[in-house]
Amino acid sequence: MRTPIFFKTYRSPINIILSVGLVLLCISCETDETQTVITLTNLTFEDNFDTDGPIAAASWNYELGDGTDNGLPPGWGNNELQYYTDRPENIKVEGGMLHITALQESFQGSAYTSARINTKGKVEQQYGRFEARIQLPWGQGLWPAFWLLGSNIDDVSWPQCGEIDIMEYRGQDPSTLIGTVHGPGYSAGESVSKEYDLPNDRFDTGFHIFGIEWGPDYINFYVDDVLYNQITPEDVEGEWVFDQPFYIILNLAVGGNFVGSPNANTVFPQTMLVDYVRVYSYSN
C-alpha cells in the first residue's frame, strides 16, 4: 500500500521550537500558512519497551505471513520479499528497546523474514500527536516504516480508510525519509508526500524522533524538532478521510516496489530499534 512514487512540493519548511513544557509553536510562517499551537499534556498511550521478552499483548498484535492471509497478493500488495513472523529472532523486547530484525533465510517459501505489529482494536485514536524514537537500519532493499491506518479498514477497505505514513525510508538512502498520506483518489503512486533530508547525518547512526501532530483539517510532519510539512484538505485530490480513529503499525519490510530488492552489498541481519512509542490527545 505504501508506494509513493511521485512527490509533490508544498509550503516551505517551518522552523519550530519544542519547549520543555511540550508546547509546539510554528514560527517563520508565510502569509498562506496555518500557525498552530498544540499543548501536549495528556499522554494517552506509551510503550517504553522496558520488559524483556515478547511485545505487550495488551497493546500490540502480530501480523504474520506473506500478505495472503490478509487478502493481499504475496508480497503484501507491494511485491515485498519477507515473511513476517512472531519469532524472537525477528521481534523481541530487549535492553529497553523493541528489536525488529530482518534476516536472510529460507522460510515458508520466502527468502527473508522480518516482523510487523499493530495496535488495531487496542490503541486507536482520532487526532493528537503520535511519535516514536527509532534508529533505522541501512542497506539496499530495506523498508522500515512507522505508520497509521484507519480503524474502519475492514468496513471500507484501503485506501478509503486512509493511511498516514509518519516515517518510511529507503535503506539505500540513509539521510532521507518520506512522510505521506493516502486516501481515495490519492493513493499509491498518486499519494501526497514530501521528503526530509537530515542535515549532515544519517538515520542509521543514531536515534531520531518521528512524529505527526494531527487535528481537524491538518496533519503536521516532524523529525526531531523540525516541522517539515503540513498537509491539509486543499492538498489532496479526493475526499479527506482523516477525521476518524487510526491505529499504529511498525514494520521492517525487505524489497518491494518502493525500495527494490537487496543486492550483494546488503548486509543481514538488519534491525530497526524502537526506544518508545507515545500518543498524546489533541488539544489546541
Side-chain angles (χ1 to χ4, degrees):
M1 295 178 187
R2 305 180 320 282
T3 53
I5 299 171
F6 306 107
F7 296 100
K8 295 174 66 177
T9 301
Y10 301 102
R11 306 174 177 87
S12 300
I14 306 172
N15 296 322
I16 65 167
I17 297 174
L18 178 58
S19 72
V20 175
L22 290 174
V23 179
L24 298 176
L25 304 175
C26 299
I27 65 172
S28 302
C29 295
E30 296 177 359
T31 56
D32 64 340
E33 292 174 337
T34 301
Q35 297 190 35
T36 303
V37 178
I38 296 178
T39 303
L40 301 175
T41 57
N42 187 14
L43 184 68
T44 57
F45 171 72
E46 180 178 36
D47 196 336
N48 292 308
F49 304 108
D50 288 334
T51 303
D52 286 2
I55 56 175
S59 302
W60 300 98
N61 309 296
Y62 295 102
E63 294 194 56
L64 305 176
D66 62 1
T68 54
D69 288 346
N70 290 55
L72 299 170
W76 294 87
N78 300 299
N79 293 313
E80 298 165 29
L81 303 175
Q82 80 289 327
Y83 193 99
Y84 288 132
T85 86
D86 58 359
R87 304 177 305 160
E89 295 94 321
N90 295 118
I91 183 165
K92 62 183 176 181
V93 177
E94 184 176 82
M97 304 284 175
L98 173 67
H99 298 241
I100 300 179
T101 300
L103 298 170
Q104 186 173 19
E105 60 176 338
S106 179
F107 189 90
Q108 298 293 327
S110 298
Y112 303 90
T113 59
S114 189
R116 170 168 158 163
I117 58 175
N118 70 54
T119 63
K120 185 179 181 182
K122 297 176 177 179
V123 179
E124 300 178 348
Q125 183 171 302
Q126 177 177 332
Y127 306 148
R129 179 174 174 94
F130 293 71
E131 69 175 29
R133 185 172 183 263
I134 305 173
Q135 180 171 317
L136 298 175
W138 175 79
Q140 165 68 41
L142 297 174
W143 183 5
F146 167 43
W147 50 300
L148 311 178
L149 277 177
S151 300
N152 62 348
I153 187 170
D154 292 337
D155 298 324
V156 302
S157 193
W158 185 90
Q160 183 66 40
C161 66
E163 175 179 330
I164 305 170
D165 299 325
I166 300 172
M167 177 282 299
E168 58 184 343
Y169 156 101
R170 296 179 177 93
Q172 58 265 41
D173 297 322
S175 297
T176 303
L177 62 79
I178 303 99
T180 304
V181 297
H182 301 258
Y186 50 100
S187 62
E190 301 300 323
S191 60
V192 181
S193 301
K194 188 172 183 180
E195 294 184 349
Y196 174 79
D197 294 318
L198 186 65
N200 304 312
D201 204 351
R202 297 162 54 122
F203 289 110
D204 64 314
T205 58
F207 285 88
H208 295 271
I209 298 172
F210 307 101
I212 59 164
E213 288 183 358
W214 164 34
D217 300 327
Y218 71 91
I219 304 170
N220 291 339
F221 289 77
Y222 294 86
V223 176
D224 298 323
D225 60 350
V226 178
L227 169 60
Y228 72 93
N229 196 26
Q230 180 180 84
I231 297 177
T232 71
E234 290 72 29
D235 296 315
V236 305
E237 299 296 329
E239 180 186 358
W240 181 260
V241 290
F242 304 102
D243 296 314
Q244 58 169 322
F246 277 59
Y247 62 87
I248 302 166
I249 304 173
L250 289 164
N251 71 291
L252 173 53
V254 180
N257 303 331
F258 184 63
V259 292
S261 298
N263 60 23
N265 296 320
T266 308
V267 177
F268 288 92
Q270 288 284 339
T271 299
M272 174 181 177
L273 291 172
V274 185
D275 182 23
Y276 65 74
V277 177
R278 294 174 184 162
V279 182
Y280 297 84
S281 64
Y282 170 81
S283 60
N284 64 5

